[in-house]
Amino acid sequence: MYAEGIDEEERIREAITPKSWNEIMTSDSWAVFKIMAELVDGFEKMGRIGPCVTIFGSARTKSNQKYYKLAEEIAYLLTKKGFGIISGGGPGIMEAANKGAHFGGGKSVGLNIELPFEQSSNPFIDPDKLITFDYFFVRKVMFMKYSQGYIVLPGGFGTLDELFEAITLIQTHKTVRFPIVLVSTDYWKGLIDWIHHNMLSEKNISPSDLEIFTLVDTAEEATAIIEEYYNKYALKPNF
């Protein structure tokens, strides 16, 4: 719970207070226009940037922690291979990704989100490639539409949300089977074991669904998977 606990209580009361049909329609109609504006702005800007590799991970990771340094190294290596980098635009792993892209001489894109805590844009994003959103789902559209690969480092609920969004879209053939790379066996092993022992054993997923993502431990391994994918399909990097 944030520091402004009283504000949160007021928001709850407002949310459950009965509203007239006119109030609902007016509020929802304006929301639609705002959503449309964010989509159009995102499509126009990202369409010029072109597809990149997205790096997901926690906003709370500090610059002296190993996963920060690992994210920075992965981004640096990918840009040296010719790939642009997209992050969520904030601190932590996101900052590390943009930092690696910046010092690697590659495109450094930040899809920032307005939050009451934790999130502010980092200084390593190219000035013309920072986009700020109010809506999480619009931001996720941009991640999924303009990424040609996903590197997922340790993170929290937001990282899991983005990871499973990408897995679901690939599983249901709603997007191309771009590589998804989970970094750190220590961090992800428990989740993967649970997926094997619970989801798969209950037949809620198919054995082939486990092939959608790959688990690695080093920056070199993560970079190699992205590069091999591009080489296999004779694709050219973003710039």
Side-chain angles (χ1 to χ4, degrees):
M1 192 172 194
Y2 345 125
E4 56 269 32
I6 295 177
D7 292 339
E8 180 67 10
E9 184 173 328
E10 289 174 355
R11 290 174 64 196
I12 293 171
R13 291 183 183 281
E14 182 181 350
I16 63 177
T17 299
K19 295 178 177 61
S20 69
W21 178 247
N22 186 58
E23 287 176 317
I24 294 171
M25 287 296 295
T26 301
S27 175
D28 289 353
S29 296
W30 279 111
V32 168
F33 286 117
K34 184 164 181 52
I35 291 164
M36 288 175 60
E38 288 199 358
L39 285 167
V40 170
D41 185 49
F43 287 155
E44 287 183 348
K45 291 180 179 177
M46 294 300 290
R48 292 194 295 269
I49 292 167
C52 299
V53 175
T54 290
I55 296 179
F56 294 128
S58 176
R60 304 184 186 192
T61 304
K62 305 303 180 185
S63 60
N64 61 349
Q65 292 180 301
K66 66 176 182 178
Y67 294 129
Y68 184 103
K69 299 179 188 302
L70 188 54
E72 184 179 348
E73 184 180 0
I74 291 170
Y76 182 87
L77 291 176
L78 284 171
T79 56
K80 286 302 182 184
K81 297 291 185 181
F83 302 102
I85 298 295
I86 300 173
S87 87
I93 296 295
M94 296 174 281
E95 177 183 286
N98 290 124
K99 185 177 180 181
H102 174 78
F103 286 107
K107 291 185 177 181
S108 183
V109 184
L111 305 183
N112 196 30
I113 185 79
E114 292 282 357
L115 294 177
F117 64 100
E118 205 173 72
Q119 183 92 350
S120 58
S121 60
N122 69 72
F124 300 104
I125 302 166
D126 295 344
D128 62 332
K129 297 179 182 65
L130 171 63
I131 310 174
T132 300
F133 299 91
D134 281 329
Y135 296 96
F136 269 111
F137 72 91
V138 177
R139 180 178 180 239
K140 283 200 293 184
V141 168
M142 303 306 151
F143 281 133
M144 302 304 146
K145 183 174 177 61
Y146 294 102
S147 298
Q148 288 188 329
Y150 307 93
I151 306 289
V152 189
L153 284 104
F157 292 142
T159 301
L160 290 175
D161 179 40
E162 292 152 348
L163 166 62
F164 283 110
E165 175 86 7
I167 290 174
T168 300
L169 290 175
I170 291 172
Q171 179 201 45
T172 56
H173 307 288
K174 290 296 185 180
T175 193
V176 177
R177 196 185 181 99
F178 291 133
I180 299 175
V181 184
L182 303 180
V183 183
S184 177
T185 302
D186 288 345
Y187 192 83
W188 296 112
K189 186 177 184 301
L191 174 63
I192 294 173
D193 287 345
W194 181 84
I195 290 172
H196 275 268
H197 297 154
N198 292 66
M199 297 177 75
L200 185 60
S201 65
E202 291 287 339
K203 296 183 172 54
N204 290 325
I205 60 171
S206 302
S208 60
D209 293 334
L210 298 172
E211 300 172 6
I212 293 174
F213 55 86
T214 306
L215 180 63
V216 303
D217 282 299
T218 69
E220 290 76 13
E221 289 173 318
T223 304
I225 289 171
I226 300 295
E227 189 175 20
E228 286 168 11
Y229 174 87
Y230 272 71
N231 290 339
K232 178 180 179 180
Y233 292 100
L235 296 172
K236 294 182 178 180
N238 189 39
F239 58 92

